[in-house]
Amino acid sequence: MTISDTQMQDLLAALTEALRADDANVDALITQYDAPMREVAPFLALISRLHRSYVRVQPSRRFTRRLRAELLGTPQTDVIARIRYLPARVQIAALVALVAGITMLLTRLRFLLPVPRPQTSDLGLG
Amino acid sequence: MIGKKRQPDYKTLTDLELVDLSKDPKFNKEAFGELYERYVTKIYNYVYYRTGNHHDAEDLAARVFFRAMGHIDSYTDRGVPFQAWLYRIAHNLVANWHRDRGRRKIIPLDEFVATRLQSESPDKHAEAKEERTLLLEAIRRLPEERQQLLALKFVENLSNAEIGAIMDRTEGAIKSLYHRTLIALRDELERGSQERREQTRQRKTQG
């Protein structure tokens, strides 16, 4: 005997809820859905393994405090923090634009500055 | 009468009320600060399990909140709760992170395993650590939406309806996706196990 896909989906949802809530009454659920144990057992083991493996982690207090300060403190003046959290593509584009701007400025300056002309005496023509 | 606005008790307000106050220049910092306190750990966990390391989790979690703060004016509750909106931002940033860096195979999470298992014997500890590593490796080989579903279900303890709001699917579709995810994960673990047996056999043959 097997159960339908929809019943299995409902049973898996219910089993997951029970395991997450550390409710030991899993057998009752399996009986309620009239599901054969050989079908349910591999899923039950897997859900239990997932439940054990995914454990909530805590961000460091230093990080949460710093981020809160950056978000709510003085974001307008903290240019570095603002740039740091921009998307990578935007950071790269900004960097390229900055380099291009500096290059153009330097090139322009080269043309604007007077180039020293060689003296005729220096050339041995005097 | 327009007088001086009283500071509300932010902790008692709903997410939606806080979002509205976040749009008001008079209250925005404190109101957004309360939203930040409510969700920073959740978002951090979600990003941590999707990236596998603390450094990138901090970086991406920070980007999520900067983006949320920058776009809070455009948020309106059209059936998508604020929590779901925030997770969608996190999901998009994580997806971009994977795409940009192609880093999917970082094996994470040693330190919390150590914390959780400190009461167990060294042998059991090593065994459990190995079991978790294999499981998390197998999860990383699943398609992105399935990884997302597992993180939301087991780390955040969200219901199928809440996950549906984040992933823009019905509750029934999430149930079905969960069933298919478990089947795929079971197969992936079995395939990994077969590969390891084969490698061991080959090493023995060569030795």
Side-chain angles (χ1 to χ4, degrees):
Chain A
M1 193 190 79
T2 57
I3 63 173
S4 72
D5 269 2
T6 314
Q7 280 177 308
M8 182 57 100
Q9 287 163 17
D10 289 339
L11 174 57
L12 291 176
L15 284 173
T16 305
E17 287 301 317
L19 283 169
R20 284 195 321 196
D22 290 326
D23 181 355
N25 209 3
V26 163
D27 290 340
L29 275 173
I30 296 169
T31 311
Q32 183 192 326
Y33 280 85
D34 201 16
M37 198 57 192
R38 64 182 159 73
E39 276 188 43
V40 182
F43 289 119
L44 193 56
L46 187 54
I47 295 167
S48 178
R49 208 172 148 182
L50 283 163
H51 177 54
R52 286 197 311 272
S53 297
Y54 276 114
V55 182
R56 205 168 181 74
V57 290
Q58 281 297 324
S60 75
R61 287 185 64 128
R62 194 165 146 262
F63 162 71
T64 52
R65 277 194 201 142
R66 195 193 68 219
L67 179 57
R68 191 187 162 95
E70 284 175 0
L71 281 165
L72 311 174
T74 51
Q76 286 82 1
T77 54
D78 198 351
V79 178
I80 301 293
R82 285 167 72 93
I83 292 171
R84 194 179 155 211
Y85 296 119
L86 285 171
R89 285 191 206 98
V90 179
Q91 286 180 355
I92 291 166
L95 188 69
V96 169
L98 187 70
V99 170
I102 290 169
T103 312
M104 275 175 64
L105 201 69
L106 289 174
T107 314
R108 196 173 152 77
L109 277 174
R110 263 186 70 191
F111 283 112
L112 286 177
L113 287 174
V115 180
R117 291 192 175 182
Q119 300 275 321
T120 47
S121 57
D122 293 345
L123 298 171
L125 299 172
Chain B
M1 189 183 83
I2 301 171
K4 194 177 176 186
K5 291 182 186 176
R6 267 188 65 218
Q7 291 287 321
D9 180 4
Y10 294 107
K11 292 205 181 305
T12 60
L13 299 180
T14 64
D15 284 0
L16 197 54
E17 288 166 335
L18 287 169
V19 168
D20 285 341
L21 288 177
S22 296
K23 296 175 183 176
D24 183 335
K26 176 124 186 94
F27 297 114
N28 61 5
K29 284 188 177 176
E30 290 86 349
F32 192 83
E34 176 58 27
L35 286 169
Y36 169 79
E37 294 296 338
R38 283 183 193 179
Y39 289 105
V40 65
T41 304
K42 285 170 174 247
I43 292 296
Y44 181 86
N45 268 268
Y46 175 75
V47 176
Y48 176 61
Y49 276 97
R50 299 294 317 281
T51 59
N53 70 88
H54 285 292
H55 177 76
D56 288 311
E58 286 187 355
D59 189 44
L60 287 173
R63 285 170 195 245
V64 170
F65 284 98
F66 269 103
R67 191 171 285 190
M69 194 167 73
H71 292 82
I72 195 101
D73 284 340
S74 66
Y75 171 77
T76 45
D77 183 15
R78 291 197 191 110
V80 180
F82 177 74
Q83 172 179 255
W85 183 70
L86 209 53
Y87 276 112
R88 284 184 187 182
I89 295 176
H91 169 73
N92 290 336
L93 287 171
V94 169
N96 288 342
W97 182 86
H98 281 300
R99 206 169 28 243
D100 289 347
R101 291 168 176 81
R103 286 188 290 190
R104 276 170 166 268
K105 290 188 177 175
I106 294 169
I107 300 165
L109 318 172
D110 280 349
E111 68 271 41
F112 87 77
V113 171
T115 313
R116 192 174 217 207
L117 300 174
Q118 59 197 0
S119 59
E120 295 180 359
S121 70
D123 282 353
K124 270 193 173 178
H125 181 127
E127 203 177 294
K129 196 173 157 184
E130 167 81 2
E131 185 188 270
R132 282 174 178 83
T133 304
L134 293 174
L135 180 67
L136 292 165
E137 278 180 346
I139 290 169
R140 288 194 180 281
R141 290 193 291 271
L142 296 177
E144 205 170 285
E145 62 170 11
R146 294 179 180 185
Q147 291 184 39
Q148 186 188 13
L149 169 63
L150 292 176
L152 292 171
K153 194 174 259 298
F154 287 96
V155 187
E156 306 306 329
N157 282 336
L158 296 181
S159 68
N160 287 330
E162 288 170 318
I163 296 171
I166 294 167
M167 296 178 70
D168 200 16
R169 293 177 184 216
T170 63
E171 196 177 339
I174 295 296
K175 270 188 193 175
S176 170
L177 179 65
Y178 181 50
H179 184 201
R180 283 183 276 125
T181 300
L182 290 178
I183 292 171
L185 184 57
R186 185 192 63 192
D187 294 347
E188 194 60 56
L189 284 166
E190 182 55 36
R191 192 163 34 246
S193 171
Q194 273 176 3
E195 279 172 13
R196 279 191 304 283
R197 275 200 298 271
E198 183 62 27
Q199 281 166 3
T200 312
R201 196 184 61 76
Q202 280 177 357
R203 272 201 296 272
K204 276 183 183 171
T205 315
Q206 285 164 3

